[in-house]
Amino acid sequence: MEDYGDGKLSIYRAARSIKRRDNTLYNALRSIYEDSIFVGEISQLWPDLPLLANLRCGFWYSPKFHSTCYFKSTDGHTNNWSFNTSRLNLHVALLSGQKGGCIIVDSTRKGKRFPDSMSKTIPIWTCVLNRAILHYRNKLCDSESSTNGEGSSSNCAGDAKLENRGWDCSLHLPLWVPDTEKAAIEERLEIWTKQLEASGADIASVASCLKKPLRPLWISQKTVIWLNEVPDHNSWDFTPIILVSASSSIGVFQHRTTSEFSWNYIPGAGDDEESWARGLTPTHFWSHVHDIISSGPDLCNQKVAEIVEKDRVYRAHRGENAPQVSVKNQKLADAVADLSNVELPLALDVLNGDTTLKPSNDAYTIFWIGSTNLAIGTTKHAALISNVDCVLNCDQDSVSINLPDSEAHLHLPMVSSKLDRFSLFNNLPAAVKFAKLNLSQGHRLLVCCRSGEDVSVCVCLAILTSLFDDKGTFDDGRSFSETCITKLEMRRRLVFICKFAITARPSRGNLKQVFGFLTGGRVASA
């Protein structure tokens, strides 16, 4: 049945209308709030284990996370399995080694119990890391044995070698993954392990920190847990990575009624926040959660608009970038993904070489890349950071930065490769030139962009590769002029950056532009 203007709706339009009615702002936020109660209950079963959010969906489901991680579901899709060295998440392994494990929160809209990030991506990650750690430990034993002589009683000769033989390197997948798919993944494990070892990742630090192999465990709202028999995580012979799927795996919508309001439950409501959040961030939501939930379906939109506008005015008064939030047409909202509202206040403090992972209460923490005098941060906080000498702003919008020398601030507007395939490529020569001028004088340089996760990371990668040797020492570009940069070498530099900038999420399109710049070539237009 089609709509010919006689007031009759087609089945398609009727379905779309019902979906828009059910997928309201209040329904999404109320669903998140209800699911967060489950997340809180699970986290209290193992209170000593840090709670991590898998970006971006998982970040909505708790008012307080210890840190964040980024495991993509696409890396676990059937016939598309991969181990991505651009998303190593080594800080998760280090944190798990320090604390005896961790809890990771995510969700999915698709009616599954778990997203593919938890069903396959993270299990692949734990298995590959375990294999790389075992290889490292065996090499260390062999090295000590050869140094001390075969007849000597070296530490590795006895107990350590026996411990290595008991190190679990098998692939642990949930029961619902078919055996055929498990076999196909296992065929690729050795290749991925070699890729990890060749990437230059700091396996030694992870190996020294982890006393037991990593292993995933899965918990959803359908999981039966006997509260009087919850095991102590220290009693396991592995380091648990507890994967919590926050939402119920019921159908797409479920009507629920309370004493005050009726609303529709949405599984995985935190996903695709650009299409429903209206400028609200997880931080704002949890700061005003009771006001928002108690406002009800009729007043929710107004309440959220007031919160977002109040924050915008506050930031504008402080001289920060604060554009007005406009609610787009639904079709347009789905077409463009703007990451500007994702707030990540958690960081790794490496200013003094301290690699102990801990939550940060400093909203203006930036990521210093080792001892390179390079730092990565967000444009939002660039004006508030005092321990830098110069700033390279890669955001589309300018920001007022108080520096003694006006030439110490360069604004090069760049956009994601989704909007312009050549934006980074065309701006990188000026960016590297600016960095060379300042770094050669010993200045501390901050590279910033809107999110601090993609464009700024790629610009920093170009600078690090162009001006530093493979040991991370500034050499004014001498080693770069004598080296033919390969994708493997660029990947090694990226891994080095990600070791410090733990929220880095460079996109494939932007990395292709960096490689095109470094090789003196042209970025593919297709």
Side-chain angles (χ1 to χ4, degrees):
M1 181 174 63
E2 295 185 4
D3 182 7
Y4 292 101
D6 57 357
K8 295 182 179 180
L9 282 175
S10 67
I11 294 175
Y12 172 75
R13 289 190 176 184
R16 288 291 299 272
S17 177
I18 293 172
K19 183 177 180 180
R20 282 196 298 270
R21 182 194 67 195
D22 290 338
N23 199 20
T24 64
L25 180 60
Y26 185 81
N27 286 340
L29 295 176
R30 184 61 186 259
S31 301
I32 290 170
Y33 177 72
E34 295 293 326
D35 289 336
S36 72
I37 297 173
F38 168 70
V39 172
E41 291 173 349
I42 297 302
S43 65
Q44 286 305 306
L45 296 179
W46 295 280
D48 295 335
L49 297 185
L51 190 67
L52 278 67
N54 193 29
L55 296 173
R56 290 180 301 157
C57 181
F59 203 36
W60 284 91
Y61 288 94
S62 176
K64 187 175 183 181
F65 284 104
H66 186 285
S67 186
T68 62
C69 55
Y70 188 44
F71 295 97
K72 290 192 70 173
S73 286
T74 51
D75 292 336
H77 286 177
T78 304
N79 296 323
N80 191 48
W81 316 286
S82 65
F83 180 88
N84 199 312
T85 53
S86 299
R87 296 183 286 272
L88 284 179
N89 291 290
L90 290 186
H91 66 288
V92 178
L94 288 168
L95 185 59
S96 299
Q98 292 169 8
K99 303 295 185 178
C102 70
I103 303 172
I104 299 178
V105 178
D106 203 353
S107 185
T108 179
R109 278 183 181 269
K110 297 181 179 180
K112 303 177 183 178
R113 288 180 63 185
F114 292 87
D116 284 342
S117 61
M118 290 184 164
S119 295
K120 285 168 280 187
T121 304
I122 294 178
I124 289 171
W125 174 81
T126 58
C127 183
V128 171
L129 270 185
N130 285 336
R131 285 170 171 247
I133 291 170
L134 180 61
H135 289 176
Y136 172 81
R137 292 171 63 154
N138 285 337
K139 289 178 182 177
L140 195 62
C141 286
D142 293 341
S143 176
E144 289 190 12
S145 295
S146 61
T147 301
N148 297 324
E150 294 184 2
S152 66
S153 56
S154 68
N155 292 333
C156 280
D159 295 341
K161 283 190 175 182
L162 185 62
E163 182 182 347
N164 287 354
R165 282 197 292 270
W167 189 266
D168 184 10
C169 288
S170 55
L171 177 65
H172 294 277
L173 293 172
L175 295 176
W176 56 86
V177 176
D179 290 340
T180 53
E181 187 171 1
K182 180 178 181 180
I185 294 173
E186 287 176 328
E187 290 177 357
R188 296 163 170 80
L189 289 174
E190 194 59 33
I191 296 175
W192 292 331
T193 304
K194 291 178 180 178
Q195 289 176 351
L196 171 60
E197 293 169 336
S199 71
D202 189 5
I203 301 299
S205 294
V206 180
S208 63
C209 189
L210 275 173
K211 306 306 179 186
K212 304 174 185 177
L214 298 166
R215 181 169 175 177
L217 300 174
W218 296 268
I219 295 179
S220 74
Q221 292 197 26
K222 287 188 175 182
T223 303
V224 177
I225 299 177
W226 298 98
L227 297 182
N228 59 336
E229 297 181 7
V230 174
D232 184 348
H233 64 87
N234 290 318
S235 67
W236 288 321
D237 59 357
F238 55 85
T239 302
I241 306 294
I242 300 175
L243 307 178
V244 179
S245 183
S247 297
S248 173
S249 57
I250 59 171
V252 179
F253 296 106
Q254 182 189 74
H255 189 74
R256 297 187 180 183
T257 302
T258 66
S259 58
E260 296 178 293
F261 311 113
S262 293
W263 54 285
N264 292 307
Y265 174 77
I266 306 172
D271 194 20
D272 191 24
E273 62 194 37
E274 291 84 13
S275 66
W276 60 266
R278 295 174 175 251
L280 190 73
T281 67
T283 303
H284 293 148
F285 172 62
W286 287 109
S287 296
H288 305 275
V289 61
H290 297 297
D291 288 341
I292 293 173
I293 297 303
S294 62
S295 67
D298 295 335
L299 299 178
C300 180
N301 287 12
Q302 178 183 341
K303 176 62 69 174
V304 168
E306 291 173 356
I307 293 170
V308 172
E309 178 62 13
K310 183 177 180 180
D311 178 72
R312 187 193 72 82
V313 173
Y314 172 76
R315 289 189 286 119
H317 285 166
R318 298 183 64 170
E320 300 176 27
N321 176 53
Q324 284 188 312
V325 176
S326 58
V327 180
K328 299 179 180 179
N329 179 281
Q330 186 68 23
K331 292 181 179 179
L332 293 178
D334 292 336
V336 180
D338 177 14
L339 301 183
S340 61
N341 287 321
V342 179
E343 295 187 4
L344 299 173
L346 303 160
L348 173 61
D349 180 10
V350 294
L351 287 173
N352 299 311
D354 178 12
T355 57
T356 301
L357 288 162
K358 51 197 174 186
S360 172
N361 296 319
D362 182 4
Y364 312 128
T365 299
I366 58 178
F367 297 106
W368 287 97
I369 312 303
S371 58
T372 62
N373 274 348
L374 276 171
I376 296 174
T378 63
T379 314
K380 178 179 179 180
H381 295 132
L384 305 173
I385 298 170
S386 59
N387 60 336
V388 298
D389 303 308
C390 47
V391 173
L392 173 57
N393 178 14
C394 306
D395 196 353
Q396 282 184 275
D397 301 313
S398 60
V399 61
S400 177
I401 299 177
N402 185 23
L403 292 171
D405 185 356
S406 60
E407 295 185 357
H409 175 210
L410 177 63
H411 179 210
L412 293 174
M414 304 184 201
V415 295
S416 169
S417 59
K418 291 183 178 180
L419 302 177
D420 185 345
R421 292 191 182 97
F422 307 105
S423 181
L424 262 78
F425 184 84
N426 293 333
N427 282 286
L428 284 176
V432 173
K433 181 179 179 181
F434 177 77
K436 182 177 181 178
L437 174 65
N438 284 279
L439 292 172
S440 63
Q441 300 175 44
H443 293 166
R444 295 163 296 179
L445 171 63
L446 169 65
V447 182
C448 60
C449 67
R450 180 73 61 87
S451 67
E453 302 166 0
D454 186 2
V455 174
S456 55
V457 172
C458 291
V459 172
C460 188
L461 174 61
I463 293 171
L464 187 71
T465 307
S466 300
L467 303 177
F468 290 77
D469 62 21
D470 57 4
K471 296 181 180 179
T473 303
F474 180 80
D475 67 354
D476 210 25
R478 287 188 296 274
S479 60
F480 175 68
S481 63
E482 301 169 357
T483 306
C484 179
I485 298 298
T486 63
K487 288 185 178 181
L488 175 60
E489 181 59 30
M490 191 181 83
R491 190 178 297 120
R492 290 173 62 90
R493 303 295 178 104
L494 178 59
V495 168
F496 177 75
I497 292 174
C498 293
K499 173 183 176 182
F500 302 98
I502 60 174
T503 60
R505 297 190 289 163
S507 64
R508 183 172 178 269
N510 287 341
L511 288 174
K512 286 176 65 177
Q513 293 180 69
V514 174
F515 185 69
F517 164 76
L518 295 174
T519 55
R522 183 68 178 163
V523 182
S525 59

